[in-house]
Amino acid sequence: MENTIVKAENYNSYFGDNHVVKDVNISINKNEVIAVMGPSGCGKTTFLRGINRMHELIPGATSTGKILLDGENVYDMNAIYVRCKIGMVFQRPNPFPNMSIYENVVAGYLLNGLKISKAEKDVIVEKSLTSAALWKEVKDSLHKKGTFLSGGQQQRLCIARAIAMEPELILFDEPTSALDPISTSSVEALFHELKANYTLIIVTHNMQQAARVSDRTAFFYLGELVEFDDTKQMFTNPKDTRTQNYITGRFS
Amino acid sequence: MEARIGTRNTKSMIFKGVIMFFAFLITVPLIIILLYIIKQGVGQVNWHFLTHVPAPVGEVGGGIINALAGSFIMVLIASIISIPVGMLAGIYLSENPNTKLAHYSGLCVDILQGVPSIVVGIVVYFWLVKPLGTFSAISGSIALAIMMLPIVIRSTEQTLKLLPDSLKEAALSLGVPYHRVILKVIIPCGFSGILSGIMLSIARVIGETAPLLFTAFGNPYLSGAINKPMESLPHLIFTYATSPYDDWHNLAWGASFILLMFVLILNIVTKVITRKWKIQL
Amino acid sequence: MTPLENEIAALKKELVNMWILVQSQLNKAKEAMVQFDKDLAREVLVKEKRVNSFELKIDMDCENIFALHCPVAVDLRFLLAALKINTNLERIGDIAAGIALYVVESAVNFDMDALEKTSLIRMYDEAVNILMDTRTAFEKEDTVLARSIFKRDDVLDDINDNAPGIVAEIIKADLNILPEALYMLSIIRKLERVGDQSKNIAEEIIFYVEAKILKHYESSQKNKSEDEE
């Protein structure tokens, strides 16, 4: 399909001899929200980190197979270029503590030493913070440290930081697991808005979250991609009994 | 049973009392030293004292400008040598804690920290002073740098190890190359910790006499040449305190006072900086 | 608005659309009956399929919302109510189709005089009005209006109770009118069911808005005291 943005072909990941992601084939369309769920240790985070080549930063981690971003294998590209094109948001909000909110948003440019004018920066900051539904809350305190914000605001700041680089794809690694319910719903509401311009892949422990926010859901179990289908289909009539057992909480 | 509970309570009260007593006791030596040195030294200190070289025997007055300048120059050179080396080594140790190299160099750092300062002095004497044929400020600086290194390395390593991995990941995921991640994120975030390590290492070596005895030696005149012998505060104290002249004793007291104040101020500044610049994670 | 709120608003709109369709089915069936317009009656029969597909669609929407959003509190009550209202509306749709079928099957047109005597037209209008007011109550979450439905259903019940006697008299007067008279009696029975379904819907509206369960309330109260409303 020409609409495909990311495609994994026979993708495998290893930590040393430990085979954590097994022969995954998946094809993700533009402007979709994909939830990746599964029990702990099922390889979902490892798969996610394989997409923007963060996986290989861990000593002993290797992978085989292809991950195609717009038809091009990311493992044939420069890792730094790949990570510029694919944004990532982590489990714990991690704004740079030495930077202000403003600097945090343009951190991707500052840290990469890309020279951009103040006016351009202003535009990027406002645009990204607006997209991350944070502009109204922080526009008067842009030069305060990012770490003074609440957890949910920090996480949205991290999303703004990822958006600022204008990625095609944003990966979320359990983005709300360290947040309280109110902050969680503020971040979840954001997913729906981001969908218009970006493709989101969200790894989550929380099944309800997967159900609420995603268009399609992938279920990983023991490193295998068990099922990948429409979220509605998945939560009303899953095809695989393992999926059924997982979402109904019947895993022994 | 109740009687035993009573005994137990008494025992624990006594134990609490004892540890409190010793906690108080350790402040006593410092207070005594401070008071004594202030009493002996504060009277010597004046503008003349700070701006003149020591007077020859029999002459009134004289100061310690040669030692002040010497200590400053040598510590500065030692810092220039040890801070970059120590920080880089510390970064390696914190970034790659599980490698063989990190294990062995960490061990070396620990041992280096335990090497007596006089041994450092004598080694530098045989390495540098003898081949060069003269005592020199630069060899003194190198000896001091060797003393500073382990402190800088360990403080850098400990500080950076406390920073969460997520910080590094955040930067890497933005496509920032590794060297920029270290220089622009990791070091700035750990800056207060690294700085306090550096300050403490300076405070530690500024009072070192032994490594300088065989290296910088001493010089009664103001000198800026780093290939020549140079005076330093601790060496000046050593020489003048062991002399038989009362005038010189007073000079030593004054110098001790200055040295002590310097170390005290460094420590306080370090504490303030760490508290103020502490980065909220 | 949260995604769940959006889903619920959409579902509510869908239900209202179904409601409007069912109302128009009832109206058309009445029109067909009065005018003895068999084409119009056939149209009602064809459109019954649309009512059914509405029912299926709303059922599926409810299932998806339950599965994806795990609604609680007012949202949960709304969805439970929506499921039942959906069924009730579909039944009313069936009734409209049933009436239309009589029109199609009947050989001759209904005698206006007989229609008048049995109060069938009046009953029909009242049933349609009740259904419309129930819809208003649903749209506006108006429980006062919903409660008024219970009383108005009694009118239908009265007409229904008197119907057998009246129909018997009409038949006695003119035996030729027998098939029509029986159709009329059946229609009256059906319209009484429309009243009951509306009452059930009103109960669901009160359940969803106020979390009060009125079902079987009357019968249990009647046993205790007679002057209970």
Side-chain angles (χ1 to χ4, degrees):
Chain A
M1 228 194 300
E2 56 183 307
N3 206 15
T4 305
I5 179 163
V6 178
K7 194 171 181 187
E9 287 178 358
N10 304 324
Y11 183 76
N12 290 279
S13 285
Y14 307 84
F15 285 121
D17 296 332
N18 199 357
H19 196 175
V20 269
V21 176
K22 294 171 190 162
D23 216 27
V24 167
N25 287 286
I26 195 168
S27 164
I28 290 162
N29 295 337
K30 269 198 176 103
N31 296 29
E32 257 188 332
V33 179
I34 303 295
V36 181
M37 62 173 189
S40 297
C42 67
K44 56 191 190 304
T45 296
T46 311
F47 170 68
L48 191 79
R49 295 168 68 96
I51 298 175
N52 69 342
R53 297 188 58 179
M54 291 289 283
H55 171 66
E56 66 201 61
L57 293 171
I58 299 161
T62 51
S63 59
T64 62
K66 285 183 188 166
I67 296 222
L68 303 173
L69 177 68
D70 289 326
E72 206 182 336
N73 189 357
V74 296
Y75 286 90
D76 295 336
M77 299 192 222
N78 186 324
I80 286 171
Y81 179 67
V82 172
R83 290 182 206 132
C84 285
K85 288 188 81 166
I86 304 179
M88 188 163 193
V89 175
F90 297 85
Q91 189 166 356
R92 293 196 159 276
N94 52 2
F96 297 118
N98 56 328
M99 295 184 189
S100 67
I101 293 172
Y102 185 96
E103 290 168 321
N104 257 293
V105 177
V106 286
Y109 297 89
L110 296 179
L111 295 178
N112 278 313
L114 301 172
K115 293 273 176 290
I116 48 171
S117 70
K118 174 87 171 64
E120 277 177 293
K121 273 194 243 172
D122 288 347
V123 171
I124 292 172
V125 168
E126 178 167 356
K127 212 178 106 198
S128 310
L129 285 174
T130 310
S131 304
L134 193 61
W135 175 250
K136 276 188 201 144
E137 291 160 61
V138 302
K139 66 170 179 233
D140 299 321
S141 48
L142 286 175
H143 295 284
K144 278 194 187 157
K145 290 265 183 283
T147 37
F148 284 109
L149 299 172
S150 75
Q153 288 174 323
Q154 285 190 23
Q155 195 61 303
R156 279 179 283 150
L157 177 60
C158 294
I159 294 171
R161 181 174 68 192
I163 293 172
M165 298 299 284
E166 291 172 359
E168 299 179 32
L169 175 71
I170 309 178
L171 310 175
F172 293 84
D173 185 6
E174 293 172 32
T176 61
S177 63
L179 303 183
D180 62 278
I182 306 268
S183 305
T184 299
S185 53
S186 74
V187 172
E188 279 182 11
L190 187 55
F191 293 150
H192 286 269
E193 287 164 29
L194 291 177
K195 201 169 95 172
N197 297 314
Y198 306 95
T199 308
L200 313 180
I201 304 181
I202 302 163
V203 161
T204 176
H205 268 316
N206 182 334
M207 269 182 284
Q208 250 55 59
Q209 182 169 64
R212 278 192 300 264
V213 303
S214 68
D215 300 315
R216 289 201 286 166
T217 300
F219 173 58
F220 275 74
Y221 185 57
L222 299 176
E224 274 176 66
L225 176 61
V226 173
E227 193 167 344
F228 179 48
D229 208 338
D230 226 54
T231 303
K232 280 179 186 164
Q233 176 74 25
M234 195 87 141
F235 279 88
T236 51
N237 184 18
K239 291 193 189 73
D240 197 291
T241 43
R242 285 170 293 177
T243 317
Q244 168 120 337
N245 287 341
Y246 180 69
I247 61 177
T248 53
R250 290 202 185 110
F251 256 149
S252 46
Chain B
M1 190 64 195
E2 254 175 49
R4 282 185 57 192
I5 287 174
T7 339
R8 281 182 179 190
N9 276 340
T10 326
K11 274 185 187 165
S12 86
M13 291 288 281
I14 291 169
F15 184 73
K16 261 191 188 170
V18 168
I19 56 176
M20 258 172 77
F21 173 73
F22 282 106
F24 171 74
L25 200 65
I26 56 157
T27 63
V28 174
L30 179 67
I31 292 170
I32 291 174
I33 290 171
L34 272 178
L35 289 178
Y36 193 70
I37 292 199
I38 289 170
K39 187 177 146 255
Q40 297 285 338
V42 77
Q44 311 299 324
V45 179
N46 52 41
W47 188 242
H48 179 84
F49 181 76
L50 291 176
T51 50
H52 284 73
V53 293
V57 186
E59 274 180 40
V60 186
I64 55 162
I65 181 68
N66 58 339
L68 274 178
S71 273
F72 178 77
I73 291 169
M74 282 192 284
V75 169
L76 185 74
I77 295 172
S79 302
I80 291 171
I81 298 169
S82 65
I83 290 170
V85 175
M87 270 171 68
L88 290 173
I91 290 168
Y92 179 82
L93 293 185
S94 81
E95 287 289 305
N96 307 279
N98 295 323
T99 56
K100 257 198 176 135
L101 178 58
H103 177 75
Y104 287 112
S105 55
L107 203 67
C108 291
V109 169
D110 285 342
I111 294 169
L112 191 59
Q113 196 156 23
V115 172
S117 53
I118 189 91
V119 176
V120 174
I122 209 155
V123 166
V124 175
Y125 174 78
F126 278 105
W127 278 358
L128 279 171
V129 178
K130 275 203 110 179
L132 292 177
T134 170
F135 293 115
S136 62
I138 184 75
S139 52
S141 297
I142 287 170
L144 291 183
I146 293 172
M147 301 293 300
M148 282 174 78
L149 258 181
I151 307 174
V152 177
I153 293 174
R154 278 298 179 207
S155 69
T156 306
E157 184 197 352
Q158 298 303 337
T159 309
L160 298 191
K161 265 189 179 164
L162 287 179
L163 294 176
D165 279 347
S166 65
L167 214 59
K168 209 168 81 189
E169 288 190 327
L172 286 169
S173 75
L174 288 168
V176 181
Y178 184 70
H179 70 278
R180 280 181 172 276
V181 174
I182 299 295
L183 293 178
K184 302 254 174 167
V185 178
I186 299 298
I187 290 182
C189 288
F191 192 65
S192 75
I194 297 173
L195 191 69
S196 77
I198 290 169
M199 302 277 261
L200 288 178
S201 70
I202 291 174
R204 165 102 167 77
V205 298
I206 198 157
E208 282 292 345
T209 324
L212 297 176
L213 271 177
F214 306 109
T215 51
F217 190 64
N219 187 341
Y221 305 105
L222 185 58
S223 158
I226 58 166
N227 56 351
K228 294 276 153 54
M230 197 180 267
E231 192 58 279
S232 63
L233 275 174
H235 184 260
L236 178 137
I237 295 166
F238 172 75
T239 343
Y240 285 60
T242 49
S243 72
Y245 313 107
D246 270 352
D247 276 356
W248 283 15
H249 288 172
N250 286 338
L251 207 66
W253 281 121
S256 302
F257 173 74
I258 296 289
L259 187 60
L260 188 74
M261 283 302 127
F262 197 73
V263 171
L264 212 63
I265 289 167
L266 260 178
N267 271 293
I268 291 167
V269 167
T270 308
K271 285 255 186 300
V272 171
I273 283 178
T274 12
R275 201 162 300 166
K276 253 209 157 150
W277 289 10
K278 179 96 188 152
I279 279 172
Q280 202 98 35
L281 285 173
Chain C
M1 286 233 281
T2 66
L4 177 57
E5 282 176 295
N6 285 327
E7 296 274 353
I8 282 185
L11 179 64
K12 194 164 180 178
K13 211 170 160 198
E14 194 83 331
L15 261 177
V16 168
N17 286 339
M18 179 181 184
W19 215 307
I20 292 169
L21 176 66
V22 168
Q23 263 174 257
S24 99
Q25 287 284 87
L26 263 187
N27 279 327
K28 278 179 184 164
K30 178 193 157 201
E31 207 58 23
M33 177 186 83
V34 174
Q35 309 290 336
F36 201 64
D37 182 343
K38 291 205 177 199
D39 285 341
L40 192 59
R42 282 191 197 96
E43 189 193 319
V44 173
L45 290 177
V46 171
K47 282 209 173 150
E48 165 63 9
K49 288 198 187 78
R50 280 192 54 199
V51 177
N52 291 341
S53 61
F54 254 119
E55 189 202 12
L56 293 178
K57 168 87 170 50
I58 289 170
D59 266 352
M60 205 175 74
D61 286 351
C62 286
E63 187 189 0
N64 284 335
I65 296 174
F66 275 121
L68 300 185
H69 297 278
C70 297
V72 291
V74 65
D75 298 335
L76 175 62
R77 295 201 307 273
F78 175 81
L79 282 167
L80 290 172
L83 273 175
K84 291 182 189 171
I85 292 172
N86 185 28
T87 311
N88 288 326
L89 284 177
E90 197 273 334
R91 297 246 169 89
I92 297 174
D94 283 349
I95 289 169
I99 294 171
L101 191 64
Y102 292 149
V103 176
V104 174
E105 283 175 352
S106 175
V108 290
N109 60 345
F110 294 99
D111 184 51
M112 283 312 276
D113 197 34
L115 287 177
E116 196 57 46
K117 270 189 196 147
T118 51
S119 313
L120 180 60
I121 302 285
R122 191 160 66 84
M123 186 187 194
Y124 211 135
D125 289 339
E126 185 59 18
V128 169
N129 282 337
I130 286 177
L131 184 61
M132 207 168 72
D133 288 344
T134 320
R135 191 186 98 201
T136 314
F138 174 74
E139 282 178 291
K140 296 189 174 156
E141 302 186 355
D142 183 346
T143 52
V144 178
L145 187 57
R147 281 197 166 80
S148 74
I149 304 297
F150 302 144
K151 278 251 166 63
R152 291 166 61 186
D153 179 47
D154 294 346
V155 180
L156 300 187
D157 288 343
D158 284 345
I159 297 174
N160 180 50
D161 290 345
N162 298 331
I166 298 171
V167 171
E169 271 169 31
I170 292 172
I171 295 171
K172 267 183 210 157
D174 183 3
L175 261 180
N176 291 331
I177 214 168
L178 183 71
E180 284 173 64
L182 288 180
Y183 277 135
M184 272 191 264
L185 187 60
S186 302
I187 291 173
I188 287 170
R189 293 270 191 260
K190 279 184 184 294
L191 290 176
E192 194 270 333
R193 294 296 303 149
V194 172
D196 288 350
Q197 302 287 5
S198 301
K199 213 169 92 177
N200 290 343
I201 293 175
E203 282 168 359
E204 291 306 327
I205 293 168
I206 291 163
F207 164 71
Y208 131 60
V209 179
E210 295 181 358
K212 282 185 187 149
I213 296 167
L214 297 183
K215 227 181 261 181
H216 315 304
Y217 175 79
E218 267 175 54
S219 51
S220 62
Q221 289 297 302
K222 257 178 198 160
N223 298 340
K224 287 180 193 164
S225 69
E226 287 297 322
D227 51 24
E228 198 63 54
E229 60 148 349

